[in-house]
mmCIF file of all heavy atoms in Angstrom:
data_model
loop_
_atom_site.group_PDB
_atom_site.id
_atom_site.type_symbol
_atom_site.label_atom_id
_atom_site.label_comp_id
_atom_site.label_asym_id
_atom_site.label_seq_id
_atom_site.Cartn_x
_atom_site.Cartn_y
_atom_site.Cartn_z
ATOM 1 N N ASN A 1 94.804 -30.276 70.998
ATOM 2 C CA ASN A 1 94.400 -31.635 70.635
ATOM 3 C C ASN A 1 95.412 -32.335 69.726
ATOM 4 O O ASN A 1 95.059 -33.264 68.990
ATOM 5 C CB ASN A 1 93.013 -31.597 69.987
ATOM 6 C CG ASN A 1 91.965 -31.106 70.963
ATOM 7 O OD1 ASN A 1 92.082 -31.306 72.170
ATOM 8 N ND2 ASN A 1 90.947 -30.448 70.456
ATOM 9 N N ALA A 2 96.673 -31.917 69.799
ATOM 10 C CA ALA A 2 97.717 -32.494 68.943
ATOM 11 C C ALA A 2 97.953 -33.976 69.230
ATOM 12 O O ALA A 2 98.482 -34.691 68.393
ATOM 13 C CB ALA A 2 99.025 -31.720 69.101
ATOM 14 N N ASP A 3 97.533 -34.423 70.397
ATOM 15 C CA ASP A 3 97.725 -35.831 70.769
ATOM 16 C C ASP A 3 96.637 -36.736 70.215
ATOM 17 O O ASP A 3 96.667 -37.949 70.441
ATOM 18 C CB ASP A 3 97.782 -35.971 72.299
ATOM 19 C CG ASP A 3 96.511 -35.493 72.987
ATOM 20 O OD1 ASP A 3 95.913 -34.487 72.531
ATOM 21 O OD2 ASP A 3 96.117 -36.123 73.990
ATOM 22 N N LEU A 4 95.697 -36.187 69.471
ATOM 23 C CA LEU A 4 94.566 -36.964 68.971
ATOM 24 C C LEU A 4 94.623 -37.159 67.464
ATOM 25 O O LEU A 4 95.036 -36.261 66.730
ATOM 26 C CB LEU A 4 93.251 -36.259 69.341
ATOM 27 C CG LEU A 4 93.006 -36.055 70.832
ATOM 28 C CD1 LEU A 4 91.766 -35.195 71.041
ATOM 29 C CD2 LEU A 4 92.878 -37.396 71.547
ATOM 30 N N GLY A 5 94.158 -38.318 67.021
ATOM 31 C CA GLY A 5 94.055 -38.609 65.596
ATOM 32 C C GLY A 5 92.619 -38.416 65.134
ATOM 33 O O GLY A 5 91.884 -37.573 65.655
ATOM 34 N N PHE A 6 92.203 -39.241 64.177
ATOM 35 C CA PHE A 6 90.875 -39.094 63.594
ATOM 36 C C PHE A 6 90.032 -40.358 63.718
ATOM 37 O O PHE A 6 89.049 -40.520 62.996
ATOM 38 C CB PHE A 6 90.984 -38.640 62.130
ATOM 39 C CG PHE A 6 91.466 -37.219 62.020
ATOM 40 C CD1 PHE A 6 92.824 -36.956 61.937
ATOM 41 C CD2 PHE A 6 90.579 -36.165 62.047
ATOM 42 C CE1 PHE A 6 93.280 -35.639 61.863
ATOM 43 C CE2 PHE A 6 91.027 -34.851 61.971
ATOM 44 C CZ PHE A 6 92.381 -34.591 61.877
ATOM 45 N N THR A 7 90.418 -41.256 64.652
ATOM 46 C CA THR A 7 89.566 -42.409 64.910
ATOM 47 C C THR A 7 88.266 -41.897 65.528
ATOM 48 O O THR A 7 88.188 -40.738 65.970
ATOM 49 C CB THR A 7 90.238 -43.395 65.888
ATOM 50 O OG1 THR A 7 90.381 -42.730 67.153
ATOM 51 C CG2 THR A 7 91.593 -43.879 65.364
ATOM 52 N N HIS A 8 87.275 -42.741 65.605
ATOM 53 C CA HIS A 8 86.007 -42.318 66.210
ATOM 54 C C HIS A 8 86.215 -41.887 67.659
ATOM 55 O O HIS A 8 85.643 -40.883 68.095
ATOM 56 C CB HIS A 8 84.967 -43.435 66.105
ATOM 57 C CG HIS A 8 84.558 -43.720 64.693
ATOM 58 N ND1 HIS A 8 83.830 -42.822 63.945
ATOM 59 C CD2 HIS A 8 84.799 -44.780 63.895
ATOM 60 C CE1 HIS A 8 83.639 -43.319 62.735
ATOM 61 N NE2 HIS A 8 84.220 -44.500 62.675
ATOM 62 N N GLU A 9 87.052 -42.607 68.386
ATOM 63 C CA GLU A 9 87.311 -42.269 69.793
ATOM 64 C C GLU A 9 88.040 -40.933 69.908
ATOM 65 O O GLU A 9 87.693 -40.098 70.752
ATOM 66 C CB GLU A 9 88.126 -43.379 70.477
ATOM 67 C CG GLU A 9 87.416 -44.712 70.578
ATOM 68 C CD GLU A 9 87.433 -45.534 69.275
ATOM 69 O OE1 GLU A 9 88.221 -45.210 68.343
ATOM 70 O OE2 GLU A 9 86.633 -46.476 69.187
ATOM 71 N N ASP A 10 89.063 -40.739 69.080
ATOM 72 C CA ASP A 10 89.826 -39.489 69.124
ATOM 73 C C ASP A 10 88.963 -38.300 68.690
ATOM 74 O O ASP A 10 89.057 -37.210 69.257
ATOM 75 C CB ASP A 10 91.068 -39.576 68.244
ATOM 76 C CG ASP A 10 92.194 -40.369 68.888
ATOM 77 O OD1 ASP A 10 92.062 -40.786 70.051
ATOM 78 O OD2 ASP A 10 93.223 -40.584 68.209
ATOM 79 N N ARG A 11 88.133 -38.501 67.685
ATOM 80 C CA ARG A 11 87.257 -37.421 67.225
ATOM 81 C C ARG A 11 86.289 -37.021 68.346
ATOM 82 O O ARG A 11 86.062 -35.833 68.586
ATOM 83 C CB ARG A 11 86.490 -37.869 65.980
ATOM 84 C CG ARG A 11 85.862 -36.742 65.218
ATOM 85 C CD ARG A 11 85.135 -37.244 63.986
ATOM 86 N NE ARG A 11 85.986 -37.809 62.973
ATOM 87 C CZ ARG A 11 86.531 -37.129 61.968
ATOM 88 N NH1 ARG A 11 86.320 -35.844 61.869
ATOM 89 N NH2 ARG A 11 87.265 -37.734 61.075
ATOM 90 N N THR A 12 85.759 -38.015 69.040
ATOM 91 C CA THR A 12 84.849 -37.746 70.155
ATOM 92 C C THR A 12 85.557 -36.951 71.242
ATOM 93 O O THR A 12 85.017 -35.959 71.762
ATOM 94 C CB THR A 12 84.282 -39.068 70.717
ATOM 95 O OG1 THR A 12 83.531 -39.722 69.676
ATOM 96 C CG2 THR A 12 83.391 -38.830 71.918
ATOM 97 N N GLU A 13 86.788 -37.337 71.597
ATOM 98 C CA GLU A 13 87.548 -36.630 72.621
ATOM 99 C C GLU A 13 87.907 -35.221 72.157
ATOM 100 O O GLU A 13 87.834 -34.258 72.937
ATOM 101 C CB GLU A 13 88.810 -37.406 73.001
ATOM 102 C CG GLU A 13 89.725 -36.704 73.987
ATOM 103 C CD GLU A 13 89.092 -36.377 75.338
ATOM 104 O OE1 GLU A 13 88.007 -36.908 75.662
ATOM 105 O OE2 GLU A 13 89.676 -35.566 76.077
ATOM 106 N N ASN A 14 88.288 -35.056 70.908
ATOM 107 C CA ASN A 14 88.595 -33.743 70.350
ATOM 108 C C ASN A 14 87.408 -32.799 70.544
ATOM 109 O O ASN A 14 87.560 -31.678 71.050
ATOM 110 C CB ASN A 14 88.939 -33.890 68.861
ATOM 111 C CG ASN A 14 89.101 -32.559 68.166
ATOM 112 O OD1 ASN A 14 89.934 -31.752 68.515
ATOM 113 N ND2 ASN A 14 88.278 -32.331 67.161
ATOM 114 N N LEU A 15 86.241 -33.247 70.165
ATOM 115 C CA LEU A 15 85.056 -32.393 70.237
ATOM 116 C C LEU A 15 84.615 -32.153 71.680
ATOM 117 O O LEU A 15 84.123 -31.076 72.012
ATOM 118 C CB LEU A 15 83.936 -32.984 69.387
ATOM 119 C CG LEU A 15 84.291 -33.000 67.888
ATOM 120 C CD1 LEU A 15 83.308 -33.844 67.108
ATOM 121 C CD2 LEU A 15 84.379 -31.586 67.335
ATOM 122 N N ARG A 16 84.823 -33.124 72.555
ATOM 123 C CA ARG A 16 84.522 -32.937 73.975
ATOM 124 C C ARG A 16 85.385 -31.805 74.534
ATOM 125 O O ARG A 16 84.889 -30.911 75.231
ATOM 126 C CB ARG A 16 84.774 -34.237 74.751
ATOM 127 C CG ARG A 16 84.358 -34.167 76.228
ATOM 128 C CD ARG A 16 84.894 -35.357 77.012
ATOM 129 N NE ARG A 16 86.344 -35.273 77.193
ATOM 130 C CZ ARG A 16 86.963 -34.498 78.092
ATOM 131 N NH1 ARG A 16 86.261 -33.718 78.895
ATOM 132 N NH2 ARG A 16 88.281 -34.483 78.188
ATOM 133 N N ARG A 17 86.669 -31.819 74.202
ATOM 134 C CA ARG A 17 87.574 -30.766 74.673
ATOM 135 C C ARG A 17 87.170 -29.401 74.131
ATOM 136 O O ARG A 17 87.151 -28.409 74.861
ATOM 137 C CB ARG A 17 89.018 -31.075 74.262
ATOM 138 C CG ARG A 17 89.621 -32.260 74.975
ATOM 139 C CD ARG A 17 91.039 -32.491 74.486
ATOM 140 N NE ARG A 17 91.579 -33.763 74.948
ATOM 141 C CZ ARG A 17 92.801 -34.204 74.643
ATOM 142 N NH1 ARG A 17 93.606 -33.465 73.886
ATOM 143 N NH2 ARG A 17 93.211 -35.371 75.083
ATOM 144 N N VAL A 18 86.861 -29.349 72.845
ATOM 145 C CA VAL A 18 86.456 -28.077 72.230
ATOM 146 C C VAL A 18 85.206 -27.544 72.922
ATOM 147 O O VAL A 18 85.120 -26.343 73.235
ATOM 148 C CB VAL A 18 86.222 -28.229 70.714
ATOM 149 C CG1 VAL A 18 85.645 -26.947 70.125
ATOM 150 C CG2 VAL A 18 87.515 -28.614 69.996
ATOM 151 N N ALA A 19 84.243 -28.407 73.196
ATOM 152 C CA ALA A 19 83.001 -27.973 73.843
ATOM 153 C C ALA A 19 83.276 -27.417 75.240
ATOM 154 O O ALA A 19 82.697 -26.390 75.634
ATOM 155 C CB ALA A 19 82.003 -29.125 73.907
ATOM 156 N N HIS A 20 84.156 -28.051 75.987
ATOM 157 C CA HIS A 20 84.476 -27.551 77.328
ATOM 158 C C HIS A 20 85.183 -26.196 77.270
ATOM 159 O O HIS A 20 84.879 -25.300 78.064
ATOM 160 C CB HIS A 20 85.316 -28.566 78.104
ATOM 161 C CG HIS A 20 84.495 -29.634 78.750
ATOM 162 N ND1 HIS A 20 83.716 -29.410 79.870
ATOM 163 C CD2 HIS A 20 84.313 -30.934 78.428
ATOM 164 C CE1 HIS A 20 83.097 -30.531 80.218
ATOM 165 N NE2 HIS A 20 83.442 -31.464 79.352
ATOM 166 N N VAL A 21 86.110 -26.036 76.337
ATOM 167 C CA VAL A 21 86.798 -24.751 76.184
ATOM 168 C C VAL A 21 85.783 -23.669 75.783
ATOM 169 O O VAL A 21 85.774 -22.567 76.342
ATOM 170 C CB VAL A 21 87.952 -24.847 75.163
ATOM 171 C CG1 VAL A 21 88.511 -23.465 74.825
ATOM 172 C CG2 VAL A 21 89.063 -25.756 75.691
ATOM 173 N N ALA A 22 84.921 -23.992 74.836
ATOM 174 C CA ALA A 22 83.898 -23.039 74.390
ATOM 175 C C ALA A 22 82.998 -22.641 75.559
ATOM 176 O O ALA A 22 82.667 -21.454 75.729
ATOM 177 C CB ALA A 22 83.077 -23.642 73.250
ATOM 178 N N ALA A 23 82.602 -23.621 76.371
ATOM 179 C CA ALA A 23 81.737 -23.338 77.523
ATOM 180 C C ALA A 23 82.425 -22.402 78.511
ATOM 181 O O ALA A 23 81.782 -21.497 79.079
ATOM 182 C CB ALA A 23 81.328 -24.643 78.204
ATOM 183 N N LEU A 24 83.723 -22.593 78.729
ATOM 184 C CA LEU A 24 84.466 -21.716 79.638
ATOM 185 C C LEU A 24 84.451 -20.267 79.144
ATOM 186 O O LEU A 24 84.239 -19.332 79.930
ATOM 187 C CB LEU A 24 85.907 -22.203 79.797
ATOM 188 C CG LEU A 24 86.095 -23.492 80.590
ATOM 189 C CD1 LEU A 24 87.541 -23.979 80.463
ATOM 190 C CD2 LEU A 24 85.714 -23.288 82.044
ATOM 191 N N PHE A 25 84.675 -20.083 77.847
ATOM 192 C CA PHE A 25 84.633 -18.728 77.291
ATOM 193 C C PHE A 25 83.229 -18.141 77.399
ATOM 194 O O PHE A 25 83.051 -16.974 77.742
ATOM 195 C CB PHE A 25 85.123 -18.713 75.836
ATOM 196 C CG PHE A 25 86.611 -18.618 75.714
ATOM 197 C CD1 PHE A 25 87.367 -19.732 75.393
ATOM 198 C CD2 PHE A 25 87.261 -17.412 75.924
ATOM 199 C CE1 PHE A 25 88.748 -19.648 75.289
ATOM 200 C CE2 PHE A 25 88.644 -17.306 75.819
ATOM 201 C CZ PHE A 25 89.388 -18.435 75.504
ATOM 202 N N MET A 26 82.214 -18.947 77.097
ATOM 203 C CA MET A 26 80.830 -18.473 77.172
ATOM 204 C C MET A 26 80.507 -18.003 78.588
ATOM 205 O O MET A 26 79.876 -16.962 78.776
ATOM 206 C CB MET A 26 79.865 -19.574 76.753
ATOM 207 C CG MET A 26 78.409 -19.138 76.800
ATOM 208 S SD MET A 26 77.252 -20.487 76.534
ATOM 209 C CE MET A 26 77.339 -21.302 78.135
ATOM 210 N N GLN A 27 80.960 -18.756 79.578
ATOM 211 C CA GLN A 27 80.687 -18.398 80.977
ATOM 212 C C GLN A 27 81.318 -17.063 81.360
ATOM 213 O O GLN A 27 80.872 -16.412 82.307
ATOM 214 C CB GLN A 27 81.167 -19.513 81.905
ATOM 215 C CG GLN A 27 80.347 -20.774 81.785
ATOM 216 C CD GLN A 27 81.038 -21.996 82.377
ATOM 217 O OE1 GLN A 27 82.101 -21.891 82.997
ATOM 218 N NE2 GLN A 27 80.443 -23.163 82.171
ATOM 219 N N GLN A 28 82.332 -16.645 80.620
ATOM 220 C CA GLN A 28 82.984 -15.356 80.858
ATOM 221 C C GLN A 28 82.407 -14.242 79.989
ATOM 222 O O GLN A 28 82.964 -13.144 79.927
ATOM 223 C CB GLN A 28 84.498 -15.480 80.643
ATOM 224 C CG GLN A 28 85.167 -16.398 81.636
ATOM 225 C CD GLN A 28 84.956 -15.956 83.072
ATOM 226 O OE1 GLN A 28 85.142 -14.794 83.404
ATOM 227 N NE2 GLN A 28 84.537 -16.881 83.928
ATOM 228 N N GLY A 29 81.309 -14.533 79.282
ATOM 229 C CA GLY A 29 80.628 -13.523 78.486
ATOM 230 C C GLY A 29 81.050 -13.447 77.033
ATOM 231 O O GLY A 29 80.593 -12.582 76.299
ATOM 232 N N PHE A 30 81.913 -14.335 76.603
ATOM 233 C CA PHE A 30 82.356 -14.353 75.204
ATOM 234 C C PHE A 30 81.344 -15.070 74.312
ATOM 235 O O PHE A 30 80.640 -15.976 74.763
ATOM 236 C CB PHE A 30 83.682 -15.121 75.064
ATOM 237 C CG PHE A 30 84.901 -14.350 75.470
ATOM 238 C CD1 PHE A 30 85.178 -14.130 76.812
ATOM 239 C CD2 PHE A 30 85.788 -13.861 74.517
ATOM 240 C CE1 PHE A 30 86.309 -13.429 77.199
ATOM 241 C CE2 PHE A 30 86.919 -13.164 74.902
ATOM 242 C CZ PHE A 30 87.182 -12.952 76.244
ATOM 243 N N VAL A 31 81.341 -14.692 73.047
ATOM 244 C CA VAL A 31 80.715 -15.513 72.023
ATOM 245 C C VAL A 31 81.847 -16.386 71.497
ATOM 246 O O VAL A 31 82.778 -15.896 70.854
ATOM 247 C CB VAL A 31 80.098 -14.669 70.891
ATOM 248 C CG1 VAL A 31 79.575 -15.574 69.779
ATOM 249 C CG2 VAL A 31 78.989 -13.774 71.430
ATOM 250 N N ALA A 32 81.805 -17.662 71.840
ATOM 251 C CA ALA A 32 82.816 -18.619 71.390
ATOM 252 C C ALA A 32 82.314 -19.244 70.093
ATOM 253 O O ALA A 32 81.258 -19.866 70.075
ATOM 254 C CB ALA A 32 83.051 -19.688 72.452
ATOM 255 N N ILE A 33 83.068 -19.040 69.036
ATOM 256 C CA ILE A 33 82.678 -19.528 67.712
ATOM 257 C C ILE A 33 83.540 -20.744 67.400
ATOM 258 O O ILE A 33 84.719 -20.610 67.083
ATOM 259 C CB ILE A 33 82.866 -18.436 66.647
ATOM 260 C CG1 ILE A 33 82.198 -17.124 67.088
ATOM 261 C CG2 ILE A 33 82.331 -18.912 65.298
ATOM 262 C CD1 ILE A 33 82.715 -15.898 66.360
ATOM 263 N N ALA A 34 82.950 -21.925 67.514
ATOM 264 C CA ALA A 34 83.669 -23.176 67.276
ATOM 265 C C ALA A 34 83.426 -23.624 65.837
ATOM 266 O O ALA A 34 82.303 -23.910 65.449
ATOM 267 C CB ALA A 34 83.203 -24.252 68.253
ATOM 268 N N ALA A 35 84.489 -23.644 65.051
ATOM 269 C CA ALA A 35 84.420 -24.081 63.654
ATOM 270 C C ALA A 35 85.004 -25.487 63.588
ATOM 271 O O ALA A 35 86.223 -25.657 63.478
ATOM 272 C CB ALA A 35 85.181 -23.115 62.755
ATOM 273 N N VAL A 36 84.132 -26.478 63.726
ATOM 274 C CA VAL A 36 84.557 -27.874 63.826
ATOM 275 C C VAL A 36 83.634 -28.752 62.991
ATOM 276 O O VAL A 36 82.426 -28.552 62.974
ATOM 277 C CB VAL A 36 84.554 -28.352 65.298
ATOM 278 C CG1 VAL A 36 85.690 -27.711 66.085
ATOM 279 C CG2 VAL A 36 83.235 -28.055 65.989
ATOM 280 N N ILE A 37 84.196 -29.734 62.310
ATOM 281 C CA ILE A 37 83.379 -30.579 61.445
ATOM 282 C C ILE A 37 82.264 -31.265 62.231
ATOM 283 O O ILE A 37 81.124 -31.261 61.817
ATOM 284 C CB ILE A 37 84.258 -31.602 60.682
ATOM 285 C CG1 ILE A 37 85.172 -30.860 59.700
ATOM 286 C CG2 ILE A 37 83.390 -32.624 59.955
ATOM 287 C CD1 ILE A 37 86.202 -31.725 59.009
ATOM 288 N N SER A 38 82.575 -31.841 63.381
ATOM 289 C CA SER A 38 81.627 -32.582 64.229
ATOM 290 C C SER A 38 80.631 -33.384 63.388
ATOM 291 O O SER A 38 79.457 -33.036 63.320
ATOM 292 C CB SER A 38 80.929 -31.670 65.236
ATOM 293 O OG SER A 38 80.408 -30.500 64.690
ATOM 294 N N PRO A 39 81.107 -34.481 62.785
ATOM 295 C CA PRO A 39 80.333 -35.189 61.769
ATOM 296 C C PRO A 39 79.136 -35.989 62.251
ATOM 297 O O PRO A 39 78.255 -36.296 61.457
ATOM 298 C CB PRO A 39 81.360 -36.128 61.149
ATOM 299 C CG PRO A 39 82.337 -36.382 62.238
ATOM 300 C CD PRO A 39 82.411 -35.089 63.000
ATOM 301 N N GLU A 40 79.078 -36.302 63.533
ATOM 302 C CA GLU A 40 77.983 -37.150 64.008
ATOM 303 C C GLU A 40 77.045 -36.376 64.919
ATOM 304 O O GLU A 40 77.467 -35.522 65.689
ATOM 305 C CB GLU A 40 78.541 -38.356 64.764
ATOM 306 C CG GLU A 40 79.379 -39.287 63.897
ATOM 307 C CD GLU A 40 79.927 -40.462 64.670
ATOM 308 O OE1 GLU A 40 79.218 -40.999 65.546
ATOM 309 O OE2 GLU A 40 81.090 -40.834 64.413
ATOM 310 N N GLU A 41 75.770 -36.728 64.827
ATOM 311 C CA GLU A 41 74.759 -36.103 65.676
ATOM 312 C C GLU A 41 75.125 -36.265 67.149
ATOM 313 O O GLU A 41 74.951 -35.338 67.934
ATOM 314 C CB GLU A 41 73.378 -36.702 65.400
ATOM 315 C CG GLU A 41 72.287 -36.192 66.311
ATOM 316 C CD GLU A 41 72.096 -34.682 66.278
ATOM 317 O OE1 GLU A 41 72.272 -34.066 65.206
ATOM 318 O OE2 GLU A 41 71.775 -34.112 67.340
ATOM 319 N N ARG A 42 75.656 -37.417 67.525
ATOM 320 C CA ARG A 42 76.006 -37.642 68.939
ATOM 321 C C ARG A 42 77.096 -36.672 69.397
ATOM 322 O O ARG A 42 77.099 -36.240 70.548
ATOM 323 C CB ARG A 42 76.417 -39.096 69.188
ATOM 324 C CG ARG A 42 77.718 -39.491 68.552
ATOM 325 C CD ARG A 42 78.030 -40.988 68.775
ATOM 326 N NE ARG A 42 79.272 -41.332 68.136
ATOM 327 C CZ ARG A 42 80.449 -41.388 68.775
ATOM 328 N NH1 ARG A 42 80.524 -41.146 70.070
ATOM 329 N NH2 ARG A 42 81.549 -41.704 68.118
ATOM 330 N N HIS A 43 78.008 -36.290 68.510
ATOM 331 C CA HIS A 43 79.032 -35.294 68.854
ATOM 332 C C HIS A 43 78.392 -33.938 69.130
ATOM 333 O O HIS A 43 78.729 -33.254 70.106
ATOM 334 C CB HIS A 43 80.043 -35.118 67.721
ATOM 335 C CG HIS A 43 80.872 -36.322 67.448
ATOM 336 N ND1 HIS A 43 81.241 -36.673 66.162
ATOM 337 C CD2 HIS A 43 81.414 -37.263 68.260
ATOM 338 C CE1 HIS A 43 81.971 -37.761 66.211
ATOM 339 N NE2 HIS A 43 82.088 -38.142 67.476
ATOM 340 N N ARG A 44 77.489 -33.545 68.241
ATOM 341 C CA ARG A 44 76.840 -32.246 68.393
ATOM 342 C C ARG A 44 75.944 -32.218 69.627
ATOM 343 O O ARG A 44 75.895 -31.223 70.346
ATOM 344 C CB ARG A 44 76.087 -31.896 67.114
ATOM 345 C CG ARG A 44 77.023 -31.780 65.905
ATOM 346 C CD ARG A 44 76.327 -31.349 64.646
ATOM 347 N NE ARG A 44 75.358 -32.276 64.119
ATOM 348 C CZ ARG A 44 75.618 -33.226 63.213
ATOM 349 N NH1 ARG A 44 76.849 -33.368 62.728
ATOM 350 N NH2 ARG A 44 74.657 -34.006 62.769
#
């Protein structure tokens, strides 16, 4: 996510990417531990 800043739009995209990566690991049987601020309820 090096191409993203901290605007509301960039933060939303950052967390969307993290969630998709986490889901991919989960589907392979991993416990994916995402340590992310995710400040808004809509992000979570």
Side-chain angles (χ1 to χ4, degrees):
N1 296 330
D3 60 323
L4 300 173
F6 290 90
T7 65
H8 293 292
E9 296 79 14
D10 283 355
R11 196 179 294 269
T12 298
E13 176 60 14
N14 173 60
L15 295 168
R16 185 192 71 78
R17 291 179 191 179
V18 173
H20 277 287
V21 170
L24 289 170
F25 275 103
M26 180 188 76
Q27 291 163 6
Q28 295 302 312
F30 281 75
V31 175
I33 309 160
V36 289
I37 294 173
S38 48
E40 296 180 38
E41 175 58 34
R42 68 183 179 97
H43 295 143
R44 298 184 295 268

